[in-house]
Amino acid sequence: MKLHEYISKRVFAKYGVTIPKGEVATTPSEAKKIAEKLGGRVVVKSQVLVGGRGKAGGIHLAESPAEATEHAFNILGMEIKGLPVRKVLIDEAADIKSEIYLGITNDRAARKPVMMASAAGGIDIEEVAHKTPEKIIKVHIDPLMGLQNYQARDLAAKIDLPRELWRGFGKTACGLWKAYVESDATLAEINPLVITAENRLLAVDGKMVLDDNALFRHPDLAEMRDLDLEAEAEIEAREHGLSYIKLDGNIGCMVNGAGLAMTTMDIIKLFGGSPANFLDIGGGANAEKVAVALRIILSDPSVKAVLFNIFGGITRCDLVAQGILDALEEVETDVPMVVRLVGTNAKEGRQLLANADMETAETLADAAQKAVAAA
Ligand code: GDP
Ligand code: MN
């Protein structure tokens, strides 16, 4: 789950990172009040869950509350990379001398978190990483020991940070590390961390991605999920405990088990087709779950055929078959379907489906070929 800039920065601030004073507005008049309260120059920042807002025109400096109101009005009407802007952050403007990058993510290959810093921070960090990777300094963090002071100092030295800022940098780096660990994040990033005209460090931008599997430990953050910005089908799937990811093919897949779902997608491709989604209905799938899953699959207009691939272990194939039939009572559709059931009560399940004139298959290869032909 991605967190908005303003939420990420508040989390960082809890751990001792210095952030600008600011508040969120959803209307131009709210923006005006906040700008008045902050007095003087502010920056008006679109809150959308994509990077590159600055380049897209979603961030503007304002010299007065009147100007802030105007920017808020314009930005609140924008779409950035397809996402509507519904909130703006009004922050006290910083006088920026230079921009640093500071971030933490998991390095899977090293099996450790890695902290990265660069003196070339700001809006083009991806380009820096691509063209001059040596400008990004990395240090791996032992997950049990945590970030050590000497490691933060080492980073500060290697990015040529002026000596008098090392202490502040250490505080920021340790704060970011604590925020990362204690929020179960997979990414925590400050870009830019700026050196201000007064020679202080200030986190001007913030980004966090949390591990969805750990969200139950952070109910306060979980409830900030921005539903506006997620596909409706994915929200419904999550609410029913289904893992659903939309893809761009035309064969809808309903499968129990993630590994089996991957296999199903592969075999569809092997026979020249293309899956419209990944969908794992999990174990113990009952009729209701099957109906929800089917509705989700069919809500995608590009689906031209549906392939059910169910392995009955704990799940009983006859219950799944009944679920499919029940679901079809509710969901009006003429999309062709192929069902492959194997395992517990498969025979009973196939019989139920045959009675209802549904196409069944015994092997996965057979099922996939039929689905590809139907699509
Ligand atoms: P992003 O483009 O989505 O990464 O948004 P950022 O929050 O990083 O802002 C982009 C750029 O806008 C920064 O790199 C800064 O150069 C500039 N910027 C952001 N806030 C301020 C501010 O308070 N003062 C000034 N002068 N520039 C700012
Ligand atoms: Mn940024």
Side-chain angles (χ1 to χ4, degrees):
M1 171 181 156
K2 291 180 187 169
L3 295 182
H4 277 298
E5 174 196 356
Y6 74 97
I7 300 171
S8 304
K9 288 201 296 202
R10 281 179 197 167
V11 174
F12 297 164
K14 267 203 335 212
Y15 294 93
V17 174
T18 313
I19 62 168
K21 269 194 213 133
E23 278 175 51
V24 170
T26 53
T27 63
S29 66
E30 267 174 42
K32 184 172 180 214
K33 278 193 202 121
I34 298 167
E36 280 165 354
K37 204 157 75 182
L38 293 173
R41 295 172 71 228
V42 294
V43 54
V44 183
K45 311 183 76 178
S46 54
Q47 298 298 289
V48 282
L49 296 173
V50 288
R53 296 164 301 161
K55 279 191 175 167
I59 294 178
H60 282 286
L61 281 167
E63 299 295 334
S64 66
E67 225 177 272
T69 317
E70 196 183 313
H71 286 316
F73 178 83
N74 291 331
I75 294 176
L76 283 166
M78 281 177 75
E79 255 190 19
I80 298 182
K81 299 184 184 167
L83 300 176
V85 181
R86 302 203 201 277
K87 295 188 195 105
V88 286
L89 173 63
I90 314 295
D91 263 358
E92 216 168 48
D95 268 330
I96 299 179
K97 225 163 57 176
S98 66
E99 307 196 0
I100 296 166
Y101 173 91
L102 185 66
I104 310 176
T105 187
N106 281 328
D107 181 344
R108 286 171 184 268
R111 293 188 273 173
K112 280 179 187 161
V114 60
M115 181 173 264
M116 293 163 289
S118 175
I123 54 181
D124 288 320
I125 192 70
E126 281 82 9
E127 210 176 301
V128 174
H130 187 65
K131 289 196 179 142
T132 45
E134 70 280 0
K135 286 192 183 161
I136 297 179
I137 314 297
K138 297 181 180 177
V139 13
H140 285 96
I141 304 172
D142 184 301
L144 297 178
M145 306 276 282
L147 180 75
Q148 302 293 300
N149 285 330
Y150 77 86
Q151 294 183 299
R153 264 198 312 275
D154 194 33
L155 281 177
K158 286 185 176 148
I159 63 168
D160 292 324
L161 194 71
R163 190 89 197 202
E164 67 270 24
L165 288 172
W166 285 17
R167 182 187 291 270
F169 183 81
K171 198 172 158 219
T172 305
C174 287
L176 191 66
W177 164 249
K178 282 216 180 86
Y180 176 85
V181 171
E182 291 183 14
S183 314
D184 291 305
T186 56
L187 177 79
E189 186 178 84
I190 305 173
N191 186 35
L193 172 67
V194 305
I195 304 177
T196 64
E198 307 86 53
N199 220 21
R200 298 191 42 188
L201 288 172
L202 185 67
V204 157
D205 190 10
K207 179 174 173 185
M208 277 187 110
V209 182
L210 305 181
D211 180 349
D212 283 341
N213 293 310
L215 273 185
F216 71 97
R217 303 208 289 193
H218 309 283
D220 50 328
L221 295 174
E223 76 172 24
M224 310 251 190
R225 188 185 280 276
D226 194 336
L227 295 178
D228 270 3
L229 306 180
E230 285 182 60
E232 218 169 283
E234 287 176 18
I235 298 168
E236 195 185 355
R238 190 175 48 247
E239 279 169 358
H240 289 87
L242 310 166
S243 316
Y244 171 84
I245 294 158
K246 187 180 152 30
L247 303 168
D248 42 18
N250 62 1
I251 299 177
C253 305
M254 182 176 328
V255 187
N256 63 335
L260 192 60
M262 300 294 273
T263 309
T264 307
M265 289 158 49
D266 279 349
I267 207 155
I268 286 173
K269 288 196 168 171
L270 182 69
F271 288 112
S274 172
N277 66 278
F278 169 97
L279 196 159
D280 173 13
I281 57 173
N286 53 25
E288 194 203 319
K289 238 181 176 180
V290 172
V292 172
L294 189 58
R295 231 182 306 128
I296 290 171
I297 291 177
L298 293 174
S299 70
D300 175 358
S302 50
V303 169
K304 298 293 176 248
V306 178
L307 171 55
F308 295 80
N309 186 20
I310 303 296
F311 178 79
I314 298 168
T315 308
R316 281 171 45 193
C317 291
D318 55 330
L319 285 186
V320 173
Q322 194 55 54
I324 296 171
L325 297 176
D326 290 352
L328 286 173
E329 302 251 300
E330 266 180 59
V331 191
E332 185 101 7
T333 178
D334 47 15
V335 173
M337 311 208 173
V338 183
V339 189
R340 181 215 179 204
L341 299 171
V342 65
T344 310
N345 291 5
K347 226 172 86 189
E348 290 82 345
R350 275 200 293 270
Q351 193 58 51
L352 277 171
L353 295 170
N355 293 346
D357 279 333
M358 286 201 63
E359 174 111 62
T360 60
E362 289 224 6
T363 68
L364 183 47
D366 183 28
Q369 279 167 294
K370 283 178 174 163
V372 171

